[in-house]
Amino acid sequence: MEQVIANGLYLGAQYALIALGLTLIFALMNVLNFAHGQMYVLGGFVTYTIYGQLKLPFVLALICSGVTLAIVGALMEKFLFRTVIRRSKREESTMLLAAATAFFLDAIMLLLFGEKQRGVPKIISGVFVSDRVILPYDRIVVGVVAILMIAAFMLFMQYSKPGRAMRALAQDRVAAQLMGVKVERYSMIGFALGAMLAGVVGGLLVSITGVNSGIGGPISIKAFLMVMIGGAGVVGGAIAGGFILGMMESVGLATLREYGDITYLVIFALLMIFLSIRPHGLMGKPWG
C-alpha cells in the first residue's frame, strides 16, 4: 500500500504541474490549448539537446526548456490566438487554431528529431529502499522539484502583481479591464507561464521516461482529464485533478496488472460516470 501511495504522489506531482499550465491558459483566455502536450515534448527535446547532446548541466538545460517554451507561448498568444480572438466571435476558431498548432509542432519535432525514443543520463543514480517503499532517487528528486514548483506557482499567483492581475482576469475579464488591468499584456504573460510549466515538466521527465515526437497527443489527453476532474479554469482543481489521476493510475497499475493494460480504460469509464454526476468537476462552475 505504501508503495502505491508513493508512486501515486510522484505521478500526481508531475501531472498537477502539467495541468496547471493548461488550466491557467483556459482561465485567462477561454482557450482549450490542444498543443499543450506538444509543448511538453518540445521542452523535453530542449533538455535532451542541451543536457544529453551538449553535456551541459541539467539545471541549465531545465532553465533553457522553461525559457524556450515561455518565448514560444508568448509568440503564439501575440501573433496567433490574440489575432483570432480579436477577429472571430466563435470559440471554435481558437480550438481549431490550437489543434492546427499541435499538428504543426508535431511535424516540426518529427522533422528535427525523428521518431526514435530519446533519453538522457540519469540526473542522480541509486535507489531508496525501505521495508515497504522502493523508489529511485531520480524520481524522488523530480517529485520534490515538481511540488516545489507548484508551491512557487501558487505563491506567485497569490502575492505578485502579475499573479493578482491574472486572477482578476480569470474572474471577470471586463471588470478587470475597467479597473486598469492591461488585458493583452497579462494574457500573454499567462500563456507564456502556462507553456513554461509544460516545458519544465517535459525537461524534468526526459531523464526518467525519455521523449519522442509522438507522445504529445497522449500527454494532452491526460492534461484534459485532470482539468475535467478538477474543474476547468480552477487552479486548485488542476492540482487536485493531477493528484487524483496519479493515484488512480498507481492503484490501477498495481491491481489490474494481471488483466493486461486496461488501467486507462477503467479510468475513462470512471470519469464518464463522475462527469455524468458532476459535469463541472470537483471545483468548477458552469461554463459561460
Side-chain angles (χ1 to χ4, degrees), residues 118-134:
R118 310 285 180 170
V120 299
K122 285 183 176 291
I123 55 176
I124 183 172
S125 58
V127 178
F128 171 79
V129 179
S130 69
D131 294 337
R132 297 181 179 180
V133 176
I134 299 175

Side-chain angles (χ1 to χ4, degrees), residues 89-131:
K89 301 299 181 183
R90 296 174 63 91
E91 293 182 359
E92 301 93 313
S93 300
T94 58
M95 295 172 64
L96 291 172
L97 174 60
T101 305
F103 293 138
F104 174 77
L105 291 176
D106 272 337
I108 290 294
M109 289 184 289
L110 182 62
L111 181 65
L112 293 176
F113 299 100
E115 298 179 352
K116 291 176 60 177
Q117 180 80 3
R118 310 285 180 170
V120 299
K122 285 183 176 291
I123 55 176
I124 183 172
S125 58
V127 178
F128 171 79
V129 179
S130 69
D131 294 337

